[in-house]
Amino acid sequence: MYIEIEHAKKHFSHPDGSLFVALEDVSLTIKKGEFICLLGQSGCGKTTLLNVIAGFEKLSSGTVKIEGKSVNKASEKNVMIFQNYGLLPWRSVRRNVELGLESGSYTRTERRKIAEDYLKMVNLSDFADRYPCSLSGGQQQRVAIARALAVKPDILFMDEPFGALDAITRGKMQHDLRKIVDREDCTVIFVTHDIDEAIFLADRIVVMTPNPGKIKRIFPVNIYQPRYRHEPDFVELREQILREFFPKSDRRIEYFI
Ligand SMILES: Nc1ncnc2c1ncn2[C@@H]1O[C@H](COP(=O)(O)OP(=O)(O)OP(=O)(O)O)[C@@H](O)[C@H]1O
Ligand SMILES: [Mg+2]
């Protein structure tokens, strides 16, 4: 298996000496090329789990392995995309995309060509000479995706990357992202608390619950791409996932559909 997480536990120490268990006995395996969504409410440990797999946080006990090797630091082969884009405001769009290529052995011309290819992929060729401040949120996030993919990462970690976008831009970004990562054959671990986003994107959805953060259930998404939110399989899976969060008798569920 490509990524293997076994009995992962992560606790944080608070200043008063108490321990907070953010992840408890999390075991999960991920295949190469899989698109995994970590889904759950605030505080259930999604970001912590992402950081642990990416090597930004160390486990308190248990193991995380990528291709059989224990993860103990972040790797250049993997990239993280955050909610707030993380672009450098003083660099043009093109030079933001080139950023990750500068530590490699590319010439200036090669870097420029790769950046242009990825900007084309995210439909931003005409914006290459602009600066991030003159782009919309969706455009900035597309630059961040182009920059991440330009280094041909093995694993793309995304922590609620579309959280700040309006519903229409978000829908379009979801569609584009799935198309692009299929083409690039990249493994994606994507954090969200949006059930529809998870069903739209994922090969498997890992539902987590808080206090302590645990995996509650894993749902395979056996729906052909592209997926449509009104189709019976989509609606049925949404219903099943909602039932993980709310008991059948709980009428509040109606408000979330
Ligand atoms: N550095 C830290 N020190 C102490 N507690 C932490 C730390 N980082 C996270 N936690 C706690 O661990 C729990 C899980 O946090 P995490 O950020 O993983 O949640 P999340 O599922 O990503 O939530 P959200 O959807 O709000 O981003 C939370 O209760 C949080 O307060
Ligand atoms: Mg988080």
Side-chain angles (χ1 to χ4, degrees), residues 12-14 20 22 40-49 57 159-160 191 193 211:
F12 292 104
S13 323
H14 286 199
F20 180 83
Q41 66 203 81
S42 185
C44 70
K46 304 179 295 296
T47 298
T48 305
L49 181 56
E57 292 271 13
D159 196 351
E160 297 187 40
V191 166
H193 37 68
N211 302 316

PDB file of all heavy atoms in Angstrom, residues 12-14 20 22 40-49 57 159-160 191 193 211, ligand 1:
ATOM      1  N   PHE A  12      -1.779  16.776  22.189  1.00  0.00           N
ATOM      2  CA  PHE A  12      -1.119  18.061  22.369  1.00  0.00           C
ATOM      3  C   PHE A  12      -1.096  18.369  23.868  1.00  0.00           C
ATOM      4  O   PHE A  12      -2.080  18.099  24.562  1.00  0.00           O
ATOM      5  CB  PHE A  12      -1.883  19.181  21.650  1.00  0.00           C
ATOM      6  CG  PHE A  12      -1.843  19.071  20.152  1.00  0.00           C
ATOM      7  CD1 PHE A  12      -2.939  18.620  19.427  1.00  0.00           C
ATOM      8  CD2 PHE A  12      -0.693  19.425  19.450  1.00  0.00           C
ATOM      9  CE1 PHE A  12      -2.901  18.525  18.050  1.00  0.00           C
ATOM     10  CE2 PHE A  12      -0.651  19.331  18.064  1.00  0.00           C
ATOM     11  CZ  PHE A  12      -1.752  18.886  17.363  1.00  0.00           C
ATOM     12  N   SER A  13       0.007  18.953  24.347  1.00  0.00           N
ATOM     13  CA  SER A  13       0.068  19.340  25.761  1.00  0.00           C
ATOM     14  C   SER A  13      -0.367  20.794  25.887  1.00  0.00           C
ATOM     15  O   SER A  13       0.089  21.642  25.123  1.00  0.00           O
ATOM     16  CB  SER A  13       1.494  19.241  26.303  1.00  0.00           C
ATOM     17  OG  SER A  13       2.141  18.155  25.743  1.00  0.00           O
ATOM     18  N   HIS A  14      -1.219  21.048  26.803  1.00  0.00           N
ATOM     19  CA  HIS A  14      -1.662  22.421  27.055  1.00  0.00           C
ATOM     20  C   HIS A  14      -0.775  23.048  28.132  1.00  0.00           C
ATOM     21  O   HIS A  14      -0.128  22.332  28.891  1.00  0.00           O
ATOM     22  CB  HIS A  14      -3.135  22.416  27.479  1.00  0.00           C
ATOM     23  CG  HIS A  14      -4.044  22.142  26.323  1.00  0.00           C
ATOM     24  ND1 HIS A  14      -5.371  22.444  26.324  1.00  0.00           N
ATOM     25  CD2 HIS A  14      -3.809  21.579  25.124  1.00  0.00           C
ATOM     26  CE1 HIS A  14      -5.915  22.101  25.171  1.00  0.00           C
ATOM     27  NE2 HIS A  14      -4.987  21.552  24.432  1.00  0.00           N
ATOM     28  N   PHE A  20      -4.393  16.961  25.421  1.00  0.00           N
ATOM     29  CA  PHE A  20      -5.590  16.900  24.598  1.00  0.00           C
ATOM     30  C   PHE A  20      -5.346  15.886  23.485  1.00  0.00           C
ATOM     31  O   PHE A  20      -4.369  15.988  22.742  1.00  0.00           O
ATOM     32  CB  PHE A  20      -5.906  18.272  23.990  1.00  0.00           C
ATOM     33  CG  PHE A  20      -7.129  18.229  23.140  1.00  0.00           C
ATOM     34  CD1 PHE A  20      -8.387  18.325  23.703  1.00  0.00           C
ATOM     35  CD2 PHE A  20      -7.024  18.029  21.764  1.00  0.00           C
ATOM     36  CE1 PHE A  20      -9.523  18.241  22.920  1.00  0.00           C
ATOM     37  CE2 PHE A  20      -8.161  17.946  20.971  1.00  0.00           C
ATOM     38  CZ  PHE A  20      -9.410  18.057  21.552  1.00  0.00           C
ATOM     39  N   ALA A  22      -5.925  14.671  20.069  1.00  0.00           N
ATOM     40  CA  ALA A  22      -6.479  15.157  18.797  1.00  0.00           C
ATOM     41  C   ALA A  22      -6.742  14.006  17.836  1.00  0.00           C
ATOM     42  O   ALA A  22      -7.652  14.086  17.009  1.00  0.00           O
ATOM     43  CB  ALA A  22      -5.527  16.156  18.158  1.00  0.00           C
ATOM     44  N   GLY A  40     -15.424  15.889   8.209  1.00  0.00           N
ATOM     45  CA  GLY A  40     -15.877  15.879   9.595  1.00  0.00           C
ATOM     46  C   GLY A  40     -16.002  17.292  10.114  1.00  0.00           C
ATOM     47  O   GLY A  40     -15.490  18.234   9.522  1.00  0.00           O
ATOM     48  N   GLN A  41     -16.657  17.413  11.253  1.00  0.00           N
ATOM     49  CA  GLN A  41     -16.909  18.747  11.789  1.00  0.00           C
ATOM     50  C   GLN A  41     -15.640  19.351  12.382  1.00  0.00           C
ATOM     51  O   GLN A  41     -14.629  18.646  12.555  1.00  0.00           O
ATOM     52  CB  GLN A  41     -18.023  18.689  12.834  1.00  0.00           C
ATOM     53  CG  GLN A  41     -17.653  17.921  14.063  1.00  0.00           C
ATOM     54  CD  GLN A  41     -18.892  17.424  14.792  1.00  0.00           C
ATOM     55  OE1 GLN A  41     -19.490  16.417  14.457  1.00  0.00           O
ATOM     56  NE2 GLN A  41     -19.266  18.158  15.829  1.00  0.00           N
ATOM     57  N   SER A  42     -15.734  20.626  12.688  1.00  0.00           N
ATOM     58  CA  SER A  42     -14.577  21.356  13.207  1.00  0.00           C
ATOM     59  C   SER A  42     -14.012  20.665  14.454  1.00  0.00           C
ATOM     60  O   SER A  42     -14.762  20.252  15.334  1.00  0.00           O
ATOM     61  CB  SER A  42     -15.039  22.779  13.538  1.00  0.00           C
ATOM     62  OG  SER A  42     -13.942  23.537  13.928  1.00  0.00           O
ATOM     63  N   GLY A  43     -12.708  20.542  14.496  1.00  0.00           N
ATOM     64  CA  GLY A  43     -12.044  20.007  15.688  1.00  0.00           C
ATOM     65  C   GLY A  43     -11.911  18.487  15.728  1.00  0.00           C
ATOM     66  O   GLY A  43     -11.452  17.930  16.724  1.00  0.00           O
ATOM     67  N   CYS A  44     -12.293  17.797  14.648  1.00  0.00           N
ATOM     68  CA  CYS A  44     -12.233  16.324  14.698  1.00  0.00           C
ATOM     69  C   CYS A  44     -10.856  15.791  14.306  1.00  0.00           C
ATOM     70  O   CYS A  44     -10.651  14.583  14.265  1.00  0.00           O
ATOM     71  CB  CYS A  44     -13.338  15.700  13.849  1.00  0.00           C
ATOM     72  SG  CYS A  44     -13.101  15.924  12.095  1.00  0.00           S
ATOM     73  N   GLY A  45      -9.923  16.672  13.999  1.00  0.00           N
ATOM     74  CA  GLY A  45      -8.554  16.218  13.759  1.00  0.00           C
ATOM     75  C   GLY A  45      -8.156  16.085  12.300  1.00  0.00           C
ATOM     76  O   GLY A  45      -7.119  15.504  11.981  1.00  0.00           O
ATOM     77  N   LYS A  46      -8.942  16.672  11.389  1.00  0.00           N
ATOM     78  CA  LYS A  46      -8.633  16.558   9.947  1.00  0.00           C
ATOM     79  C   LYS A  46      -7.270  17.167   9.618  1.00  0.00           C
ATOM     80  O   LYS A  46      -6.429  16.542   8.979  1.00  0.00           O
ATOM     81  CB  LYS A  46      -9.721  17.250   9.099  1.00  0.00           C
ATOM     82  CG  LYS A  46     -11.122  16.750   9.353  1.00  0.00           C
ATOM     83  CD  LYS A  46     -12.160  17.468   8.513  1.00  0.00           C
ATOM     84  CE  LYS A  46     -12.348  18.953   8.778  1.00  0.00           C
ATOM     85  NZ  LYS A  46     -12.847  19.308  10.130  1.00  0.00           N
ATOM     86  N   THR A  47      -7.079  18.429  10.065  1.00  0.00           N
ATOM     87  CA  THR A  47      -5.807  19.111   9.779  1.00  0.00           C
ATOM     88  C   THR A  47      -4.656  18.389  10.471  1.00  0.00           C
ATOM     89  O   THR A  47      -3.576  18.226   9.890  1.00  0.00           O
ATOM     90  CB  THR A  47      -5.888  20.582  10.236  1.00  0.00           C
ATOM     91  OG1 THR A  47      -6.930  21.218   9.484  1.00  0.00           O
ATOM     92  CG2 THR A  47      -4.588  21.324   9.993  1.00  0.00           C
ATOM     93  N   THR A  48      -4.894  17.934  11.691  1.00  0.00           N
ATOM     94  CA  THR A  48      -3.838  17.214  12.412  1.00  0.00           C
ATOM     95  C   THR A  48      -3.432  15.968  11.631  1.00  0.00           C
ATOM     96  O   THR A  48      -2.240  15.706  11.435  1.00  0.00           O
ATOM     97  CB  THR A  48      -4.342  16.824  13.826  1.00  0.00           C
ATOM     98  OG1 THR A  48      -4.792  18.011  14.472  1.00  0.00           O
ATOM     99  CG2 THR A  48      -3.250  16.178  14.644  1.00  0.00           C
ATOM    100  N   LEU A  49      -4.411  15.220  11.144  1.00  0.00           N
ATOM    101  CA  LEU A  49      -4.088  14.000  10.391  1.00  0.00           C
ATOM    102  C   LEU A  49      -3.325  14.347   9.106  1.00  0.00           C
ATOM    103  O   LEU A  49      -2.336  13.695   8.761  1.00  0.00           O
ATOM    104  CB  LEU A  49      -5.390  13.224  10.076  1.00  0.00           C
ATOM    105  CG  LEU A  49      -5.223  11.919   9.329  1.00  0.00           C
ATOM    106  CD1 LEU A  49      -4.271  10.954  10.051  1.00  0.00           C
ATOM    107  CD2 LEU A  49      -6.579  11.214   9.129  1.00  0.00           C
ATOM    108  N   GLU A  57       3.809  17.350  11.493  1.00  0.00           N
ATOM    109  CA  GLU A  57       3.605  17.067  12.920  1.00  0.00           C
ATOM    110  C   GLU A  57       4.080  15.649  13.205  1.00  0.00           C
ATOM    111  O   GLU A  57       3.934  14.781  12.333  1.00  0.00           O
ATOM    112  CB  GLU A  57       2.096  17.101  13.264  1.00  0.00           C
ATOM    113  CG  GLU A  57       1.442  18.439  13.180  1.00  0.00           C
ATOM    114  CD  GLU A  57       1.505  19.217  14.478  1.00  0.00           C
ATOM    115  OE1 GLU A  57       2.273  18.832  15.384  1.00  0.00           O
ATOM    116  OE2 GLU A  57       0.786  20.224  14.558  1.00  0.00           O
ATOM    117  N   ASP A 159      -6.030  21.482   2.376  1.00  0.00           N
ATOM    118  CA  ASP A 159      -6.792  21.702   3.608  1.00  0.00           C
ATOM    119  C   ASP A 159      -7.875  22.748   3.370  1.00  0.00           C
ATOM    120  O   ASP A 159      -7.601  23.951   3.372  1.00  0.00           O
ATOM    121  CB  ASP A 159      -5.847  22.133   4.738  1.00  0.00           C
ATOM    122  CG  ASP A 159      -6.507  21.994   6.107  1.00  0.00           C
ATOM    123  OD1 ASP A 159      -7.721  21.727   6.155  1.00  0.00           O
ATOM    124  OD2 ASP A 159      -5.806  22.157   7.116  1.00  0.00           O
ATOM    125  N   GLU A 160      -9.077  22.295   3.152  1.00  0.00           N
ATOM    126  CA  GLU A 160     -10.222  23.163   2.834  1.00  0.00           C
ATOM    127  C   GLU A 160      -9.848  24.242   1.834  1.00  0.00           C
ATOM    128  O   GLU A 160     -10.042  25.439   2.092  1.00  0.00           O
ATOM    129  CB  GLU A 160     -10.755  23.798   4.122  1.00  0.00           C
ATOM    130  CG  GLU A 160     -11.275  22.746   5.074  1.00  0.00           C
ATOM    131  CD  GLU A 160     -11.964  23.340   6.283  1.00  0.00           C
ATOM    132  OE1 GLU A 160     -12.680  24.324   6.107  1.00  0.00           O
ATOM    133  OE2 GLU A 160     -11.775  22.814   7.374  1.00  0.00           O
ATOM    134  N   VAL A 191      -9.056  17.852   2.656  1.00  0.00           N
ATOM    135  CA  VAL A 191      -9.864  18.045   3.861  1.00  0.00           C
ATOM    136  C   VAL A 191     -11.070  18.919   3.554  1.00  0.00           C
ATOM    137  O   VAL A 191     -10.931  19.963   2.895  1.00  0.00           O
ATOM    138  CB  VAL A 191      -9.021  18.724   4.962  1.00  0.00           C
ATOM    139  CG1 VAL A 191      -9.892  19.240   6.093  1.00  0.00           C
ATOM    140  CG2 VAL A 191      -7.969  17.769   5.492  1.00  0.00           C
ATOM    141  N   HIS A 193     -15.335  20.007   5.198  1.00  0.00           N
ATOM    142  CA  HIS A 193     -16.475  19.610   6.013  1.00  0.00           C
ATOM    143  C   HIS A 193     -17.755  19.714   5.194  1.00  0.00           C
ATOM    144  O   HIS A 193     -18.857  19.719   5.729  1.00  0.00           O
ATOM    145  CB  HIS A 193     -16.583  20.366   7.341  1.00  0.00           C
ATOM    146  CG  HIS A 193     -16.188  21.789   7.290  1.00  0.00           C
ATOM    147  ND1 HIS A 193     -16.899  22.719   6.614  1.00  0.00           N
ATOM    148  CD2 HIS A 193     -15.129  22.418   7.828  1.00  0.00           C
ATOM    149  CE1 HIS A 193     -16.300  23.876   6.751  1.00  0.00           C
ATOM    150  NE2 HIS A 193     -15.212  23.722   7.460  1.00  0.00           N
ATOM    151  N   ASN A 211     -13.291  14.399  19.651  1.00  0.00           N
ATOM    152  CA  ASN A 211     -13.247  14.107  21.104  1.00  0.00           C
ATOM    153  C   ASN A 211     -13.229  12.637  21.472  1.00  0.00           C
ATOM    154  O   ASN A 211     -14.171  12.157  22.074  1.00  0.00           O
ATOM    155  CB  ASN A 211     -14.396  14.809  21.842  1.00  0.00           C
ATOM    156  CG  ASN A 211     -14.333  16.298  21.616  1.00  0.00           C
ATOM    157  OD1 ASN A 211     -13.276  16.907  21.680  1.00  0.00           O
ATOM    158  ND2 ASN A 211     -15.473  16.889  21.304  1.00  0.00           N
TER     159      ASN A 211
HETATM  160  N1  LIG B   1      -1.000  22.894  18.407  1.00  0.00           N
HETATM  161  C1  LIG B   1      -2.074  22.511  19.098  1.00  0.00           C
HETATM  162  N2  LIG B   1      -2.094  22.581  20.447  1.00  0.00           N
HETATM  163  C2  LIG B   1      -3.160  22.180  21.171  1.00  0.00           C
HETATM  164  N3  LIG B   1      -4.290  21.679  20.602  1.00  0.00           N
HETATM  165  C3  LIG B   1      -4.338  21.573  19.281  1.00  0.00           C
HETATM  166  C4  LIG B   1      -3.243  22.001  18.439  1.00  0.00           C
HETATM  167  N4  LIG B   1      -3.577  21.782  17.132  1.00  0.00           N
HETATM  168  C5  LIG B   1      -4.832  21.280  17.166  1.00  0.00           C
HETATM  169  N5  LIG B   1      -5.281  21.152  18.442  1.00  0.00           N
HETATM  170  C6  LIG B   1      -6.584  20.628  18.857  1.00  0.00           C
HETATM  171  O1  LIG B   1      -6.779  19.369  18.222  1.00  0.00           O
HETATM  172  C7  LIG B   1      -8.122  19.228  17.773  1.00  0.00           C
HETATM  173  C8  LIG B   1      -8.102  18.909  16.288  1.00  0.00           C
HETATM  174  O2  LIG B   1      -7.647  20.064  15.578  1.00  0.00           O
HETATM  175  P1  LIG B   1      -7.613  20.121  13.994  1.00  0.00           P
HETATM  176  O3  LIG B   1      -7.038  21.421  13.636  1.00  0.00           O
HETATM  177  O4  LIG B   1      -6.959  18.897  13.492  1.00  0.00           O
HETATM  178  O5  LIG B   1      -9.174  20.055  13.667  1.00  0.00           O
HETATM  179  P2  LIG B   1      -9.921  20.146  12.251  1.00  0.00           P
HETATM  180  O6  LIG B   1     -10.749  18.900  12.122  1.00  0.00           O
HETATM  181  O7  LIG B   1      -8.950  20.449  11.201  1.00  0.00           O
HETATM  182  O8  LIG B   1     -10.916  21.376  12.501  1.00  0.00           O
HETATM  183  P3  LIG B   1     -11.384  22.558  11.485  1.00  0.00           P
HETATM  184  O9  LIG B   1     -12.445  21.964  10.602  1.00  0.00           O
HETATM  185  O10 LIG B   1     -11.949  23.579  12.429  1.00  0.00           O
HETATM  186  O11 LIG B   1     -10.174  23.042  10.753  1.00  0.00           O
HETATM  187  C9  LIG B   1      -8.830  20.528  18.098  1.00  0.00           C
HETATM  188  O12 LIG B   1      -9.615  20.362  19.247  1.00  0.00           O
HETATM  189  C10 LIG B   1      -7.710  21.522  18.364  1.00  0.00           C
HETATM  190  O13 LIG B   1      -8.050  22.477  19.329  1.00  0.00           O
END
